[in-house]
Amino acid sequence: MSEAHAMTAHGADDRIEAFERARLGMWLFLASEVMFFAGFIGAYVVLRMANPHLAVAGQKELNWVLAALNTAVLICSSLTMVLGVNAISKGDRAKCRNMVLLTALLGSAFLVVKFFEYSGKFAHGIYPNTSTFFSCYFLMTGFHGLHVLGGIIALLLLLLGIKHYGPERYTKVENVGLYWHFVDIVWIFLFPIVYLL
Amino acid sequence: MSAQISTRVYWNVFFALLACTALTVGQSQLFHALGHGTNIAIGLVIASFKASIVTLFFMHLRHEKSYFYGVALFPLVLVLVILFSNFPDVAFGDHTTPGEVLKAASH
């Protein structure tokens, strides 16, 4: 192997290692996020176990159809996100841009539905201090909504710098994708325990 | 990494997620005879399955090195420890609501 060839191979190894370290950092951040939501969800679970009737009256006030629609929206956004990451890893920047944009739009649609859901609650005089159940409901779904908003901002920043990414350099796209899927996973648990069960 | 994965896999996971969501809604609305506790358990099993396939396929965990699994699973173990550490108090405690706990603490 020539010296120039060896140096190129060495550079590629460094890049792969840097990519792996960046993903590891993102996974560690997501681990801390798991603990963040665990506090809220854990409190809700313990409160419900202590008082099985805690959610019965509250859940009747919730619109599970809207929540199911939002679940489908977030699942669609996870698909578009992973297709975007897949596209950039294969060098298809235009498809990646479209998929990231679609993900941001679906995330925005989720927040719009959430806005109407909250508006309906406020119109009926339901606030976080209405009951223990609604305190948990607004806390969990509110912080989840803020995470969705954070994800949309990250997606828009990706779009602004999309010309800098390609098959050799897409760490940020992959990491924003990891964050977006995590937000989806949190909702996967919130939907049944808050709205349905 | 994602470069080696066919988009067909992603579409299959997507349809599985939608099907599981329909299953969750269906079982919560239709199978009241199963009992509330059983329904909650089934709902959580379905949610865990959905979270697993998102993690493994969309987040590419199954293509990562083994120590990534440790990073992903460790907080879940901590969550279970936190939840189960509260069980004795929930199961055997006298207080059922935060208001009652505060009232008891003030006496």
Side-chain angles (χ1 to χ4, degrees), chain B residues 14 82-83:
Chain B
F14 169 70
I82 290 170
L83 283 179

Side-chain angles (χ1 to χ4, degrees), chain A residues 32-49 54 118 132-147 182 186-187 189-190 193-194, chain B residues 78-79 82-83 86 98:
Chain A
S32 74
E33 286 281 85
V34 169
M35 299 314 296
F36 176 83
F37 278 102
F40 301 138
I41 296 175
Y44 175 67
V45 169
V46 169
L47 284 167
R48 273 193 65 168
M49 287 189 67
L54 179 84
Y118 275 15
T132 307
F133 172 78
F134 280 107
S135 178
C136 294
Y137 161 79
F138 280 110
L139 197 67
M140 291 188 289
T141 59
F143 271 110
H144 177 264
L146 285 177
H147 276 73
F182 170 77
V186 172
W187 185 256
F189 282 100
L190 287 184
I193 67 170
V194 174
Chain B
L78 284 180
V79 170
I82 290 170
L83 283 179
N86 281 293

Side-chain angles (χ1 to χ4, degrees), chain A residues 19-20 23 27 38 42 46-51 64 75 79 82 86 89 170 174 178 181 185 188-189 196, chain B residues 1-3 5 7 10-11 21 25 28 36 47 51 55 58-60 64-65 67-68 79 83 87 90 96 98:
Chain A
F19 189 27
E20 188 180 312
R23 289 201 312 278
W27 276 98
V46 169
L47 284 167
R48 273 193 65 168
M49 287 189 67
N51 181 4
W64 66 263
I75 289 172
L79 175 71
V82 79
N86 188 265
S89 74
Y170 63 98
E174 173 100 24
L178 287 175
H181 298 309
I185 288 173
I188 280 173
F189 282 100
L196 296 176
Chain B
M1 275 163 41
S2 52
I5 301 171
T7 53
Y10 297 136
W11 280 99
T21 302
V25 172
S28 70
H36 198 55
T55 311
F58 282 0
M59 297 173 83
H60 305 134
E64 296 286 7
K65 290 180 178 167
Y67 65 86
F68 275 78
V79 170
L83 283 179
F87 277 9
V90 171
T96 54

Side-chain angles (χ1 to χ4, degrees), chain A residues 64 195-197, chain B residues 23-32 39:
Chain A
W64 66 263
Y195 292 85
L196 296 176
L197 302 171
Chain B
L23 195 63
T24 307
V25 172
Q27 67 100 12
S28 70
Q29 301 299 313
L30 301 175
F31 298 106
H32 296 293
N39 260 339

